[in-house]
């Protein structure tokens, strides 16, 4: 998938742990782990906002995108 979660880099730069961040923003450690690994299909904007507020960052600091022409193939009306 061309969208990657870069939360680990932000945590390392700030010397913080995912466990502490999860507790601060109200996520379970399992939810935090799934997000960090990119194994989720989506994230609520409110959760993303809480992560950004706690880390003092912007959403682009937590997510990265590498363009892939195939991303435009097979689009559905609901996408």
């Amino acid at each position: 998938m061309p969208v990657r979660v870069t939360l680990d880099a932000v945590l390392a730069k700030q010397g913080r742990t995912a466990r502490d961040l999860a507790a601060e923003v109200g996520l379970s450690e399992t939810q935090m782990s799934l997000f960090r690994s990119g194994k989720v299909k989506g994230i609520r904007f409110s959760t993303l906002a809480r992560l950004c507020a706690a880390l003092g960052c912007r959403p682009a600091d937590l997510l990265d995108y590498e363009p892939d022409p195939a991303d435009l193939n097979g689009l559905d009306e609901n996408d």
Side-chain angles (χ1 to χ4, degrees):
M1 175 180 283
V3 175
R4 292 186 338 237
V5 177
T6 56
L7 175 59
D8 284 341
V10 175
L11 290 172
K13 188 175 182 180
Q14 295 187 11
R16 299 187 62 177
T17 66
R19 175 181 282 186
D20 290 340
L21 179 61
E24 185 176 345
V25 300
L27 293 176
S28 71
E29 290 181 41
T30 300
Q31 290 171 313
M32 180 64 74
S33 177
L34 289 170
F35 177 63
R36 289 173 55 217
S37 67
K39 292 183 179 177
V40 294
K41 292 189 183 263
I43 182 170
R44 293 177 186 260
F45 285 153
S46 59
T47 302
L48 189 57
R50 289 195 320 265
L51 289 169
C52 289
L55 294 167
C57 69
R58 302 178 64 80
D61 297 323
L62 304 178
L63 300 170
D64 189 28
Y65 173 72
E66 292 192 26
D68 182 348
D71 292 341
L72 295 175
N73 294 339
L75 284 181
D76 185 76
E77 286 183 18
N78 298 322
D79 286 345

